[in-house]
Amino acid sequence: RRRGMGARIVRWIAAESRARGVSRIWLTVNKENAGPIAFYRRIGFEVESAMVTDIGNGFVMDDYRMAAAVHPDST
């Protein structure tokens, strides 16, 4: 945490996506995880939708789908 690894990983994913012609990347994050949500917002992700996914045995994942544009000129 706080060493820049997360942002570097996302930049690498964006570069790989860009090289493959992908214009948008997305992820899911639990609605209760305020720290990661704030981090993803800082690096350009926006909440695209809320989703509740049944994972069986009476449990659900209560997440946000967050997405970010992959710009041709970003690194």
Side-chain angles (χ1 to χ4, degrees):
R1 285 188 139 192
R2 309 230 185 263
R3 293 174 49 188
M5 293 301 295
R8 276 188 257 170
I9 290 167
V10 172
R11 282 194 304 269
W12 179 82
I13 291 168
E16 290 294 315
S17 299
R18 190 172 33 260
R20 289 166 171 74
V22 174
S23 62
R24 196 157 180 79
I25 56 177
W26 62 269
L27 55 84
T28 59
V29 61
N30 186 278
K31 291 176 184 175
E32 300 297 319
N33 285 343
I37 291 168
F39 165 74
Y40 292 129
R41 286 184 190 275
R42 275 195 310 275
I43 64 170
F45 282 79
E46 296 177 0
V47 172
E48 193 172 70
S49 63
M51 45 195 294
V52 177
T53 306
D54 184 348
I55 58 173
N57 295 325
F59 294 96
V60 297
M61 292 187 344
D62 193 15
D63 296 336
Y64 289 127
R65 176 180 166 139
M66 299 184 77
V70 176
H71 300 289
D73 58 329
S74 62
T75 56

